[in-house]
Amino acid sequence: MKERKTVVILGLGIFGSTLARDLSKYNFDVIAVDHNMSCVERVSTFVSNAVCLDFTDLEQLKAIGASDADIGIVTSSNMLEEAIMGILNLKELGVPRIIAKAKNSKHSEVLKKVGADTTISPEKEVAKTFAKKLVSKDILDLFDIDHDYSIFDIKMPMNWANKTLIELDLRNKFNVNVVGVRRNNKLIVNYNPNEKLMSDDEILIIGENDLFKKYDELVK
């Protein structure tokens, strides 16, 4: 059984190179590809294979073993034609899952039509997340799970400290669930609902995406 997954990343700008570095940390075999040698050299010390080539050329991708990848990620969103060719080549090589960075919604539609399974717009997602976090300084971070639900990492509200999860009854009152408590930089999953929360804790809760709009009501 294959233990480590292989991902091929086409395009090593800021987004692509950061992705290559972080996926390498998470035990992925990363094949990093760009036509600019300086970009390739930037990631060469931490990926499995960094290659300078033209990924719009099918034969060049085939030669470096891109067909063995479990996931292909195309990050050259500013060059639509280049991104399309990258996706088509990955499809031709039989890469089972293809993700593409899209510059806007129209590009997203095009990239999906030519074979991308998923498209992402990092700048848009970062802006949306940052806007939500600005609603309250107590929202430390949030992660959209899907179109309906998010996980919120929040500071301990003053009136929750020294109470148990059973006493707070958050599920019935606000339709949210606590998925973890971070204490002393350690995440506690399956937190004992009868144990009192501490003032320095952080709480991870899952709720509807617009929960941030009702945050003040939640922590009253």
Side-chain angles (χ1 to χ4, degrees), residues 129-144:
T129 299
F130 186 61
K132 291 176 183 178
K133 288 170 68 174
L134 285 178
V135 170
S136 173
K137 60 181 175 56
D138 292 330
I139 297 178
L140 302 174
D141 211 344
L142 58 91
F143 317 91
D144 289 340

Side-chain angles (χ1 to χ4, degrees), residues 84-95:
I84 289 172
M85 288 304 301
I87 292 169
L88 291 174
N89 286 341
L90 292 176
K91 291 289 285 187
E92 179 69 20
L93 292 173
V95 176

Side-chain angles (χ1 to χ4, degrees), residues 16 71 74 76-77 83 95 97 104 110 118 121 132 148 184 214:
I71 304 170
V74 182
S76 54
S77 59
V95 176
R97 185 182 178 196
N104 52 49
V110 172
T118 306
S121 301
K132 291 176 183 178
D148 299 312
N184 298 324
K214 302 176 286 188

